[in-house]
Amino acid sequence: ARSPQSDVDLQNEVVRLCTVLTEATETFSAADISHLMDALVELGTREPQFRTFMAGKGRETLNAISSRASQEEVASKFTGRQASQLIWAFSKMGIRNENLVEVLGQRLMTEDVLNQLNAHDISMTVWGLAKVRCKNIALLDSLAESVASGEAVEAFGAQSLVNVAWGFAKL
């Protein structure tokens, strides 16, 4: 078990990390944001206190990241997988940001991007939307059409199908 002092030291380091990230977000590329959110989710999974901190005092940092991700010059560079992962990651951190979902949804509904999505990407997107109860009807319709296509259904594993079914049921 960590000592109370090490908990305080750790919290101070997290505050410093958030400050640095917030100040640097305007320099982040789509790939940077994708990797960063993967890392933050991993930290939140390993350390529940970190996830709690990010949903509270660290929310400013997540807001800065989502704001950057929503900018056209960045959003237009996300791959389908990255956009899906961002929707999932923000929901995993307990953050509902309808503007980000709208921007990423537009990106995901672009025909060439939508055609890149695999079963896992679709299930992560639907799960993420359901987790924060963010209904983007146009995106959900596009994803449902992808799921219903003959080839896509065959590619879905049991877990992906369960995630999609749960997500649509929750929404």
Side-chain angles (χ1 to χ4, degrees):
R2 291 191 298 244
S3 71
Q5 182 58 46
S6 67
D7 282 346
V8 169
D9 291 344
L10 180 59
Q11 186 168 359
N12 289 336
E13 288 300 316
V14 169
V15 168
R16 279 195 281 279
L17 171 66
C18 286
T19 300
V20 169
L21 291 175
T22 301
E23 291 172 357
T25 53
E26 287 304 311
T27 65
F28 293 165
S29 69
D32 294 337
I33 292 169
S34 182
H35 295 307
L36 174 60
M37 286 306 298
D38 285 346
L40 294 177
V41 167
E42 180 65 26
L43 275 170
T45 301
R46 290 183 187 188
E47 296 287 337
Q49 298 95 338
F50 178 78
R51 187 175 53 246
T52 301
F53 177 86
M54 293 304 291
K57 293 178 182 176
R59 191 171 189 126
E60 180 183 342
T61 299
L62 293 174
N63 289 341
I65 295 166
S66 68
S67 177
R68 177 66 175 158
S70 297
Q71 293 172 356
E72 176 60 28
E73 70 268 13
V74 176
S76 65
K77 303 288 192 261
F78 286 119
T79 65
R81 170 159 290 160
Q82 289 170 333
S84 294
Q85 286 177 322
L86 279 181
I87 289 172
W88 174 85
F90 275 94
S91 68
K92 186 83 172 161
M93 298 294 284
I95 303 299
R96 178 183 178 166
N97 185 316
E98 291 191 29
N99 181 58
L100 179 64
V101 168
E102 180 65 30
V103 169
L104 293 176
Q106 289 298 319
R107 178 71 180 146
L108 286 167
M109 289 186 294
T110 307
E111 189 173 341
D112 63 321
V113 175
L114 187 61
N115 292 334
Q116 294 173 7
L117 299 179
N118 63 30
H120 182 70
D121 300 331
I122 292 169
S123 73
M124 282 181 24
T125 304
V126 173
W127 183 93
L129 293 171
K131 182 78 173 158
V132 293
R133 303 211 187 255
C134 193
K135 291 183 183 179
N136 181 319
I137 301 302
L139 176 57
L140 289 167
D141 285 347
S142 293
L143 295 174
E145 285 179 30
S146 292
V147 171
S149 75
E151 295 172 11
V153 170
E154 293 172 9
F156 273 78
Q159 186 63 54
S160 292
L161 282 174
V162 167
N163 287 348
V164 169
W166 176 85
F168 277 106
K170 282 295 211 184
L171 291 168

